[in-house]
Amino acid sequence: MLALQRYREVLLRDIEALDTAALDWQAAPQAVSIGTSLLHIAAVEFLVMSAVATAREDARLSPDRALWSALQPGFARELALSPCTGQPCSHYADLLQRVRSDSEAVLNADWQPLSLEQAQQSVLGQLGLDPDQQRRLQAPLGLPLSIADGTRRESLILALIAHESYHRGQITQSKFLHRIATQRDGK
């Protein structure tokens, strides 16, 4: 759990000084903004941990549809949604913290082995995603499934860390490219 907390602290520190323009900036028309990447990190964690909670049949931890609505733009390309724009850094930080808090509640409960893939399919259905949308989310959800099979809590924690680290690298690159573009354009 300490590793999860530490990785989230580093991510939040990396984005804390970003303004809305930096969060919304895209290197190219089809590129993902930093804001979308942050929502994506939170959305994958939300879906994975909701799957674990659903497999436990714990009604207190059922998928939060309102939270899912806020996180869905993290899959803007996969679900053909408009990206989230115009939000301050605090919007993304609050969502990341809320998801992490929910994740910690799930991870602190007694661990029962589960079929993570089957549980994720159940959650996607509960959230009202049609079969085509569910199919489109299979690739982004593949990383947690490739690392964590649901038999051990530790492998799931490693999957979440790997996913967040991967996208934190993209965010670092986007920050660098945005700074260059801003300097070049004299803004």
Side-chain angles (χ1 to χ4, degrees):
M1 287 300 228
L2 289 174
L4 274 177
Q5 293 169 355
R6 178 69 181 127
Y7 275 84
R8 185 54 46 89
E9 288 169 6
V10 170
L11 176 63
L12 294 174
R13 186 188 67 228
D14 285 350
I15 65 165
E16 69 186 355
L18 297 178
D19 61 15
T20 303
L23 290 163
D24 293 348
W25 183 80
Q26 295 173 269
Q30 294 302 315
V32 174
S33 69
I34 292 173
T36 297
S37 292
L38 294 169
L39 290 176
H40 176 79
I41 291 167
V44 167
E45 183 173 331
F46 168 83
L47 290 174
V48 170
M49 298 314 297
S50 292
V52 172
T54 297
R56 288 187 187 148
E57 298 178 0
D58 186 340
R60 295 172 301 137
L61 301 171
S62 61
D64 181 337
R65 284 180 173 257
L67 181 53
W68 171 243
S69 292
L71 299 174
Q72 263 185 315
F75 293 113
R77 287 193 293 195
E78 293 85 356
L79 298 177
L81 301 171
S82 297
C84 180
T85 58
Q87 294 295 327
C89 189
S90 61
H91 170 76
Y92 301 104
D94 291 347
L95 288 170
L96 285 160
Q97 289 297 82
R98 183 169 169 202
V99 169
R100 181 52 50 88
S101 177
D102 291 348
S103 296
E104 288 174 355
V106 172
L107 290 167
N108 282 326
D110 290 335
W111 190 260
Q112 301 293 324
L114 67 134
S115 167
L116 191 55
E117 186 172 6
Q118 185 178 25
Q120 283 182 346
Q121 289 303 314
S122 175
V123 165
L124 295 176
Q126 288 178 39
L127 292 171
L129 292 159
D130 65 43
D132 183 55
Q133 291 172 318
Q134 291 180 31
R135 181 188 56 75
R136 290 171 186 241
L137 290 183
Q138 291 311 304
L141 294 174
L143 176 64
L145 291 175
S146 68
I147 297 173
D149 60 6
T151 58
R152 295 184 20 221
R153 175 187 354 245
E154 293 77 15
S155 63
L156 189 55
I157 290 170
L158 288 174
L160 294 174
I161 289 171
H163 181 255
E164 187 166 317
S165 295
Y166 173 80
H167 289 293
R168 190 164 37 107
Q170 291 177 322
I171 289 166
T172 299
Q173 182 181 32
S174 291
K175 286 171 45 179
F176 174 75
L177 293 172
H178 177 256
R179 187 170 42 249
I180 289 173
T182 302
Q183 290 170 349
R184 180 193 65 219
D185 296 340
K187 295 181 183 175

